Amino acid sequence: MSMQYQMESSHIADYGLWTLPGIDFPLRGPPVAIDGKAPAISFLGAAQVFGTFVNHPFPNLLGEMLSARVMNLANGGAGPGLYATRPELIDLVNRSSVCVIQVMSARSSMQNRYMTSLNGRASVRLTYPDGRSEDCLGHHALLRIAGAVSKQEFADLVAETLDNYVAQYRALCAAITVPKVLLYLGPNPPIADVTSDDWTPERLVGTHPHLVTQKVFAELQTLCEATVAVVGKEGMDRRLLNRFTGEYTSIKRSETYTITNHRAYIPPHMHVQAALELYPVVGPFLAP
C-alpha cells in the first residue's frame, strides 16, 4: 500500500519512501540510521501511522520533539497479523527503545470460519456456506456473509473474529521485548459493547478502527505498558492540496469513491495532537 500511496498522491505529500533488506514493502521516510546511538521509537500500524496524505506524520513530529530516531514500520491496511508473523519486523522493533502500536482495524488480518486473511492486511478469502469463494476486502466480506447466515450466526462470527483479533495482538505483544504504548486514533471512540440482537453489519463496519468495541479496547490495554487515545473530527473537512500547483485536488479510488479531504484517514490536526499526547508518555521510556 505504501507504493500505491506514492503513485496516487505524491503530489499531495512527500513520503520519502525507502527500503531495508528483508522488508518487502517500502517504509515511510525519512530514512533512519538503524544502528545509530540515539534512542529510537518504533511504530506499528496502518495508513494513519504511515501518514497518508500528510507531509508531517506524528511519528516524525514526535521523533523531532524527543530527539529520537524514528522507525515507522506502518503499512496501509495493516492488521496485527501482519506483524505478529514477521520476525524481521519484530527484530527491528526490539532494537528500538519503545514501540508505539496502533489499535489497527479489526477488518484487517481477519480470521474466522468463513474468512482467511490473505496477507495480514485488509484482503480476505471469503468462503460461503455453499462452498463458493471470492477474494475481497474484509469489511465487504462481512457485509456479504451477513446475507448468507442467520443473525445469531453472524453475531457468533463477529465474536470469533474479535477473539482472533485480540489473539493476534497477544502474540504480537508477547514477541516485543521493549516497552509498548498502545495508541487509539480515530474520529470516534470504540463502539459500545452490544448483544447479539444489536449486531448489524453497517454498525460494526462503521469508521476506523472498524469493529473495535470498548471491551476489545480494554483487553488490548492490558498488553501494553501505557495507552494514549486521540479521538476527534477536527480538520477532517480540510481539502487535499496539490503541493506543486497550490490548487485543491482529489483522489479517485473508484467510480463511486473520490477522496477530496482528510476524512479518509486522519488529518494533519490529529497528527499534531497525537504527537503532543504521546510526548509525555513515550519520553520517559527514552531516558538513559
Side-chain angles (χ1 to χ4, degrees), residues 107-251:
R107 72 169 184 178
S108 296
S109 305
M110 188 176 283
Q111 295 285 154
N112 57 52
R113 72 195 74 173
Y114 294 122
M115 302 170 207
T116 302
S117 175
L118 295 178
N119 52 20
R121 298 177 179 87
S123 296
V124 300
R125 175 153 296 143
L126 168 63
T127 302
Y128 293 92
D130 63 8
R132 291 178 298 120
S133 66
E134 63 176 308
D135 295 348
C136 57
L137 296 176
H139 59 296
H140 291 162
L142 270 182
L143 295 174
R144 292 171 187 175
I145 199 67
V149 300
S150 69
K151 191 170 185 178
Q152 183 58 57
E153 186 174 5
F154 180 73
D156 294 341
L157 185 68
V158 171
E160 179 187 349
T161 300
L162 293 178
D163 284 346
N164 288 333
Y165 171 79
V166 173
Q168 290 172 345
Y169 265 100
R170 290 190 184 281
L172 172 61
C173 290
I176 296 175
T177 57
V178 298
K180 299 169 286 290
V181 176
L182 186 70
L183 175 63
Y184 183 99
L185 285 170
N188 301 302
I191 60 177
D193 298 319
V194 293
T195 67
S196 61
D197 291 336
D198 295 321
W199 290 124
T200 66
E202 294 77 13
R203 179 182 180 187
L204 285 169
V205 171
T207 57
H208 194 276
H210 319 91
L211 288 147
V212 174
T213 66
Q214 293 171 359
K215 179 182 177 182
V216 166
F217 183 42
E219 288 187 60
L220 297 184
Q221 291 181 67
T222 67
L223 306 177
C224 299
E225 282 76 6
T227 298
V228 171
V230 181
V231 178
K233 298 181 175 67
E234 181 71 28
M236 286 192 166
D237 59 341
R238 296 295 180 181
R239 298 281 302 276
L240 300 179
L241 186 68
N242 186 313
R243 63 192 179 99
F244 298 118
T245 68
E247 303 290 335
Y248 292 130
T249 189
S250 61
I251 300 292

Side-chain angles (χ1 to χ4, degrees), residues 43 47-62 65 100 102-103 183-190 207-209 228-238 262-279:
F43 295 83
Q48 297 75 18
V49 180
F50 177 85
T52 307
F53 304 157
V54 173
N55 280 291
H56 306 288
F58 72 86
N60 293 355
L61 295 174
L62 183 64
M65 292 162 67
V100 176
Q102 182 190 17
V103 178
L183 175 63
Y184 183 99
L185 285 170
N188 301 302
T207 57
H208 194 276
V228 171
V230 181
V231 178
K233 298 181 175 67
E234 181 71 28
M236 286 192 166
D237 59 341
R238 296 295 180 181
H262 283 284
R263 193 175 305 278
Y265 298 103
I266 62 171
H269 180 278
M270 186 170 281
H271 280 274
V272 173
Q273 187 179 357
L276 291 172
E277 295 288 341
L278 284 166
Y279 179 81

Side-chain angles (χ1 to χ4, degrees), residues 25 32 66 68 71 78 94 98 100 105 126 150-151 246 248 261:
F25 57 87
V32 62
L66 290 170
M71 293 193 291
N94 287 336
V98 58
V100 176
S105 173
L126 168 63
S150 69
K151 191 170 185 178
Y248 292 130
N261 55 34

Side-chain angles (χ1 to χ4, degrees), residues 28-46:
R28 175 73 194 243
V32 62
I34 297 299
D35 295 316
K37 299 301 183 183
I41 312 169
S42 56
F43 295 83
L44 302 181

